[in-house]
């Protein structure tokens, strides 16, 4: 489906105190293990981007139904938002974060369009830079993906931004660095990541005849921010059954994604 389809609703409005929603709370009662006062899952646990380079036609954004439900319940418990407001915030934050990873892949293609070659820029970057720094404060892609979520939604209210910031403050290394990241440091991190990508390209191409990227190639910061507020139009989205029982997955879909 398209990402915007996930926001659509139909039929009778569901309330947080309805019998069906109380059953959802019961089914997802372990959400406090994942979202609590000490720690929170990062958005990549709720939704992931599966790159074109590794997944061909199955690339896209994969949203895990049960984890999304748990994330939604944590928003409802910790804020005074309505169900609709919390649902929109959950989708905005998760889908924007994972879409940032899609934009990084697109920028790698812009710098060095070699399709799905195993020695291409994007696979090399994932292997030699991203995977070597993930889980540490040096993982710039995750830090910037989190920070981009706030930048990409300038219409958010103070309470929405404060909730996301509090979430970041309880995440692991690499993700937590986005908490209260100032504007100057934010742009500096883009420059560092861009130089890492270009250095990896030079390493890949030092024995090849390919030239340098066009002088008209935008900076990574310009490329990422050229369309704000960001929307994931054209990106395929998959709703994944990560529940232990099929009927629980169906229940989540019926309540939270009734348009599907």
């Amino acid at each position: 489906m398209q990402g915007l389809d996930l926001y659509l609703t139909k039929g009778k409005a569901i309330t947080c105190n309805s019998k069906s929603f109380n059953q959802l709370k019961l089914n997802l009662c372990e959400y406090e293990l994942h979202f609590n006062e000490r720690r929170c899952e990062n958005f990549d646990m709720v939704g992931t981007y599966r790159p074109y380079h590794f997944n061909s036609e199955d690339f896209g954004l994969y949203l895990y139904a049960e984890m999304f439900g748990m994330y939604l319940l944590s928003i409802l418990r910790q804020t005074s938002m309505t169900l609709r407001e919390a649902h929109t915030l959950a989708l905005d934050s998760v889908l924007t974060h994972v879409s940032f990873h899609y934009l990084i892949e697109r920028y790698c293609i812009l710098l060095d369009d070699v399709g799905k070659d195993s020695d291409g820029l994007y696979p090399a970057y994932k292997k030699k830079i991203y995977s070597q720094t993930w889980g540490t404060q040096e993982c710039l892609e995750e830090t910037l993906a989190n920070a981009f979520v706030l930048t990409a939604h300038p219409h958010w209210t103070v309470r929405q931004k404060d909730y996301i910031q509090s979430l970041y403050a309880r995440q692991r290394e690499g993700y937590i660095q986005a908490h209260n990241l100032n504007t100057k440091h934010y742009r500096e991190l883009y420059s560092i990541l861009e130089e890492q990508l270009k250095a990896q390209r030079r390493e890949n191409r030092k024995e090849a005849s390919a030239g340098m990227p066009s002088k008209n190639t935008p900076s990574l910061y310009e490329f990422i921010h050229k369309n704000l507020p960001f929307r994931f139009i054209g990106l395929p989205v998959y709703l994944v059954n990560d529940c232990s029982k099929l009927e629980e997955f169906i229940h989540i879909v019926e309540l939270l994604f009734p348009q599907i």
Side-chain angles (χ1 to χ4, degrees), residues 156-209:
W156 275 357
T157 64
V158 172
R159 68 171 179 165
Q160 288 171 316
K161 293 178 181 178
D162 285 348
Y163 172 77
I164 295 298
Q165 287 284 17
S166 71
L167 194 76
Y168 290 169
R170 290 171 283 155
Q171 292 184 346
R172 67 173 301 157
E173 290 292 330
Y175 299 86
I176 192 176
Q177 276 68 34
H179 176 58
N180 286 332
L181 187 67
N182 65 52
T183 302
K184 179 181 178 181
H185 195 199
Y186 178 63
R187 296 198 65 147
E188 287 175 349
L189 293 184
Y190 273 96
S191 297
I192 295 172
L193 180 56
E194 180 182 339
E195 182 50 40
Q196 288 178 346
L197 292 172
K198 290 180 176 179
Q200 186 59 57
R201 183 188 188 277
R202 290 193 293 270
E203 180 180 330
N204 282 12
R205 293 297 177 181
K206 57 187 175 183
E207 295 183 359
S209 58

Side-chain angles (χ1 to χ4, degrees), residues 53-54 108 112 117-132 197 200-201 203-204:
H53 279 82
F54 304 117
C108 286
D112 192 15
D117 291 352
S118 60
D119 60 344
L121 174 56
Y122 185 74
Y125 159 71
K126 295 297 284 188
K127 179 180 179 180
K128 298 181 181 181
I129 299 177
Y130 177 85
S131 65
Q132 299 302 314
L197 292 172
Q200 186 59 57
R201 183 188 188 277
E203 180 180 330
N204 282 12

Side-chain angles (χ1 to χ4, degrees), residues 7-253:
Y7 291 84
L8 301 176
T9 60
K10 64 179 181 180
K12 184 179 179 180
I14 300 297
T15 68
C16 292
N17 295 318
S18 67
K19 180 178 179 180
S20 56
F21 201 81
N22 283 333
Q23 182 59 50
L24 179 66
K25 295 176 185 176
L26 184 61
N27 292 343
L28 303 180
C29 62
E30 293 185 354
Y31 78 90
E32 290 183 329
L33 297 177
H34 302 278
F35 300 94
N36 55 55
E37 295 181 354
R38 287 189 170 186
R39 64 179 292 272
C40 286
E41 300 288 5
N42 55 68
F43 290 143
D44 290 319
M45 296 295 293
V46 184
T48 58
Y49 171 64
R50 298 189 183 182
Y52 173 76
H53 279 82
F54 304 117
N55 297 273
S56 298
E57 66 274 8
D58 293 326
F59 88 102
L61 310 183
Y62 284 67
L63 187 65
Y64 301 103
E66 184 174 65
M67 283 302 300
F68 179 82
M70 291 184 177
Y71 175 41
L72 176 63
L73 290 181
S74 76
I75 297 176
L76 290 171
R77 176 170 181 176
Q78 297 177 39
T79 72
S80 59
M81 294 182 192
T82 65
L83 178 55
R84 183 179 293 274
E85 289 173 334
H87 187 268
T88 299
L89 179 62
L91 284 173
D92 280 348
S93 54
V94 173
L95 294 182
T96 303
H97 176 100
V98 297
S99 294
F100 183 88
H101 299 309
Y102 159 77
L103 293 174
I104 293 295
E105 183 179 30
R106 288 290 303 273
Y107 191 71
C108 286
I109 293 173
L110 183 66
L111 287 180
D112 192 15
D113 188 5
V114 293
K116 287 172 62 62
D117 291 352
S118 60
D119 60 344
L121 174 56
Y122 185 74
Y125 159 71
K126 295 297 284 188
K127 179 180 179 180
K128 298 181 181 181
I129 299 177
Y130 177 85
S131 65
Q132 299 302 314
T133 59
W134 187 86
T136 75
Q137 60 182 320
E138 303 302 322
C139 192
L140 301 186
E141 183 174 335
E142 296 299 352
T143 297
L144 289 173
N146 264 3
F148 179 67
V149 170
L150 293 166
T151 303
H153 297 283
H155 62 281
W156 275 357
T157 64
V158 172
R159 68 171 179 165
Q160 288 171 316
K161 293 178 181 178
D162 285 348
Y163 172 77
I164 295 298
Q165 287 284 17
S166 71
L167 194 76
Y168 290 169
R170 290 171 283 155
Q171 292 184 346
R172 67 173 301 157
E173 290 292 330
Y175 299 86
I176 192 176
Q177 276 68 34
H179 176 58
N180 286 332
L181 187 67
N182 65 52
T183 302
K184 179 181 178 181
H185 195 199
Y186 178 63
R187 296 198 65 147
E188 287 175 349
L189 293 184
Y190 273 96
S191 297
I192 295 172
L193 180 56
E194 180 182 339
E195 182 50 40
Q196 288 178 346
L197 292 172
K198 290 180 176 179
Q200 186 59 57
R201 183 188 188 277
R202 290 193 293 270
E203 180 180 330
N204 282 12
R205 293 297 177 181
K206 57 187 175 183
E207 295 183 359
S209 58
M212 294 300 293
S214 167
K215 292 182 179 180
N216 296 323
T217 301
S219 69
L220 177 60
Y221 180 89
E222 293 169 339
F223 179 80
I224 295 291
H225 293 79
K226 65 180 179 181
N227 292 311
L228 291 180
F230 180 72
R231 288 294 179 266
F232 8 84
I233 298 174
L235 263 176
V237 178
Y238 300 86
L239 191 59
V240 181
N241 177 10
D242 60 331
C243 303
S244 58
K245 297 178 181 179
L246 178 59
E247 55 267 29
E248 293 177 358
F249 173 68
I250 294 173
H251 186 59
I252 291 174
V253 174

